[in-house]
């Protein structure tokens, strides 16, 4: 019996000390393989008397089972250790170091888009959109500017090559076609605002071939110029973050409105910065008017029942005035130093209660 115990201890110690799977396999062959020490021991049972076998059989078999499970357990432990070692050696660091300073910022045009939307949303206006490449029909004809109308010349239009079906597209020259799209798609009451990109063949310090406008449209059974003036006053007050503004109406002409009114805002240009709400200067800020009944009829709205007002103005100009940016072309040069100077923090969304620009 003592040599079985010795054999067991010796084998278990060797198993415990096996450094890798190959060494363990060699130990398994040496103990449990065909000619292994324990297999040889088991073979001796055949030559024993029944009494000896009764004692040694269970002892030898128990020994074999214990060695077998020790090998299995060690094998699992070695496999796990090998896997862990491999995972550790193949680890990839997918994290990135934090940038030393936030580099992205919101472009002043995007900022003003958000400010315009925040203010008009508060007044109950929804946001509507239209494409930059627009049907000639929506950009002009539906807005009461037929093909031979002289007002077309004022727009310096970028024309797109005619389609196979003869239809003509343009790069929209104003955001007003969104009026047509909205009236064709919705029933009154309508109250929308639409900021977006617009295009005209024009380029100098105050004109860019691509620029931005915002459009407003209200259609209901009863609307009048007083509503329009109030809405514009509320807008400019909130936008320039002053407690009062004064607007001056000038008669004007737009084919899509009748009557048409242009608005100037009272300002003070005597200092180095322009101020709104006081002063003796006037600055033109928006075109507007009562929607021409012809436009309503062109867009499927019963002009005997409904009327409305519309307004539109330049976004880039608003941004230049509010944030003291002298040249419109700098908006589109993608100069990072300029963006750093005039950009806005990425997570500060303008809201009326949280602050529009600060
Ligand atoms: N679309 C005009 C322009 O680009 C601006 C404008 C004037 C828009 C009068 C309007 C409006 O909605 O009623 O010059």
């Amino acid at each position: 019996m003592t040599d079985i115990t010795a054999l067991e201890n010796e084998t278990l110690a060797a198993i415990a000390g096996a450094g890798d799977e190959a060494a363990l396999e060699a130990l398994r062959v040496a103990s449990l393989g065909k000619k292994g020490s324990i297999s040889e021991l088991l073979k001796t049972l055949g030559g024993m008397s029944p009494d000896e076998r009764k004692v040694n059989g269970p002892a030898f078999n128990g020994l074999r089972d214990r060695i077998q499970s020790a090998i299995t357990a060690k094998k699992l432990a070695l496999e796990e250790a090998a896997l862990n070692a491999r995972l550790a050696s193949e680890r990839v660091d997918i994290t990135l170091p934090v940038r030393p300073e936030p580099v992205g910022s919101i472009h002043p045009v995007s900022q003003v888009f958000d400010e315009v939307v925040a203010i008009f949303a508060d007044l109950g206006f929804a946001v509507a959109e239209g494409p930059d490449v627009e049907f000639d029909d929506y950009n002009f004809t539906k807005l009461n500017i037929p093909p031979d109308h002289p007002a077309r010349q004022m727009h310096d239009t970028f024309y797109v090559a005619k389609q196979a079906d003869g239809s003509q597209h343009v790069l929209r020259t104003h955001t007003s076609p969104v009026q047509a799209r909205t009236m064709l798609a919705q029933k009154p009451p309508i109250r929308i605002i639409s900021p977006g990109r617009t295009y005209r063949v024009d380029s100098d310090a105050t004109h860019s071939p691509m620029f931005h406008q915002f459009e407003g449209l209200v259609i209901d059974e009863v609307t009048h110029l007083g509503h329009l003036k109030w809405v514009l006053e509320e807008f400019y007050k909130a936008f320039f973050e002053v407690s009062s503004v004064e607007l001056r109406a000038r008669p004007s002409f737009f084919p899509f409105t009748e009557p048409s009114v242009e608005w100037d805002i009272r300002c003070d240009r005597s200092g180095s910065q322009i101020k709104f709400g006081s002063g003796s200067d006037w600055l033109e800020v928006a075109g507007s008017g009562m929607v021409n009944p012809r436009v309503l009829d062109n867009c499927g709205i019963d002009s005997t029942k409904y009327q409305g007002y519309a307004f539109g103005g330049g976004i880039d100009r608003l941004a230049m005035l509010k944030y003291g940016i002298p040249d419109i072309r700098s908006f589109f040069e993608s100069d990072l130093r300029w963006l750093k100077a005039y950009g806005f923090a990425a997570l500060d969304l303008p809201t009326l209660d949280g602050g529009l620009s600060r």
Side-chain angles (χ1 to χ4, degrees):
M1 264 326 239
T2 39
D3 49 348
I4 303 186
T5 312
L7 178 63
E8 178 167 359
N9 289 340
E10 201 179 289
T11 312
L12 287 177
I15 291 169
D20 56 32
E21 289 183 61
L24 185 65
E25 177 59 12
L27 277 170
R28 189 193 65 77
V29 173
S31 51
L32 301 176
K34 255 193 190 150
K35 296 224 158 68
S37 52
I38 291 167
S39 308
E40 292 296 339
L41 203 57
L42 283 163
K43 281 183 205 158
T44 63
L45 287 173
M48 288 184 188
S49 69
D51 283 348
E52 283 174 322
R53 211 179 295 143
K54 234 183 185 166
V55 178
N56 288 321
F60 291 178
N61 282 314
L63 169 63
R64 185 200 53 207
D65 292 349
R66 287 191 296 280
I67 296 300
Q68 180 64 66
S69 23
I71 288 174
T72 308
K74 181 70 180 177
K75 190 161 190 281
L76 279 176
L78 284 173
E79 278 168 3
E80 196 177 311
L83 181 63
N84 285 338
R86 199 172 140 205
L87 285 175
S89 73
E90 291 178 4
R91 183 166 183 272
V92 177
D93 183 358
I94 55 163
T95 59
L96 277 177
V98 171
R99 287 189 176 148
E101 54 176 317
V103 285
S105 63
I106 301 293
H107 192 285
V109 167
S110 304
Q111 170 74 17
V112 172
F113 264 41
D114 290 346
E115 292 183 19
V116 168
V117 168
I119 297 167
F120 280 106
D122 192 61
L123 293 171
F125 286 66
V127 174
E129 284 180 318
D132 290 13
V133 180
E134 183 57 281
F135 291 113
D136 179 286
D137 185 43
Y138 288 7
N139 193 81
F140 293 122
T141 314
K142 288 232 170 359
L143 298 175
N144 196 32
I145 317 177
D148 50 358
H149 196 285
R152 286 205 176 206
Q153 260 121 56
M154 285 159 36
H155 280 233
D156 303 312
T157 311
F158 283 109
Y159 284 92
V160 176
K162 269 211 169 83
Q163 303 291 295
D165 65 2
S167 66
Q168 175 71 63
H169 288 75
V170 299
L171 296 190
R172 65 177 181 185
T173 57
H174 49 178
T175 41
S176 303
V178 180
Q179 289 189 30
R181 287 184 170 271
T182 306
M183 287 188 269
L184 287 164
Q186 295 177 24
K187 294 208 178 330
I190 290 172
R191 207 179 293 137
I192 57 110
I193 189 81
S194 185
R197 285 193 188 113
T198 46
Y199 305 82
R200 286 186 202 179
V201 186
D202 212 352
S203 183
D204 60 36
T206 52
H207 296 93
S208 153
M210 192 274 289
F211 57 107
H212 302 85
Q213 288 191 336
F214 68 100
E215 191 77 17
L217 176 71
V218 173
I219 307 283
D220 210 333
E221 288 183 30
V222 181
T223 60
H224 55 70
L225 286 174
H227 294 154
L228 166 64
K229 182 171 190 235
W230 181 84
V231 163
L232 291 178
E233 274 168 0
E234 287 303 301
F235 169 67
Y236 288 109
K237 231 165 43 180
F239 181 75
F240 289 116
E241 302 177 52
V242 291
S243 54
S244 70
V245 289
E246 194 184 332
L247 289 179
R248 178 173 80 175
R250 270 185 296 109
S252 183
F253 173 76
F254 300 104
F256 33 94
T257 45
E258 181 57 39
S260 301
V261 185
E262 276 183 288
W263 298 94
D264 301 333
I265 188 169
R266 186 187 281 284
C267 61
D268 180 357
R269 298 176 112 157
S270 59
S272 59
Q273 274 190 336
I274 185 163
K275 289 201 192 80
F276 295 93
S278 59
S280 54
D281 300 308
W282 294 94
L283 192 85
E284 185 189 321
V285 282
S288 73
M290 299 307 292
V291 178
N292 191 319
R294 287 200 194 171
V295 174
L296 296 174
D297 292 335
N298 289 345
C299 299
I301 297 213
D302 181 356
S303 61
T304 61
K305 186 165 178 212
Y306 294 104
Q307 51 180 199
Y309 59 86
F311 51 89
I315 293 262
D316 316 270
R317 266 252 287 189
L318 286 181
M320 289 166 82
L321 288 170
K322 184 165 176 181
Y323 297 116
I325 301 166
D327 189 331
I328 193 173
R329 290 170 295 198
S330 58
F331 279 97
F332 312 117
E333 280 167 354
S334 304
D335 182 334
L336 282 178
R337 291 162 305 176
W338 183 90
L339 276 173
K340 213 168 177 175
Y342 289 107
F344 291 81
L347 296 175
D348 278 349
L349 280 186
T351 59
L352 285 184
D353 49 347
L356 274 187
S357 62
R358 54 190 147 243

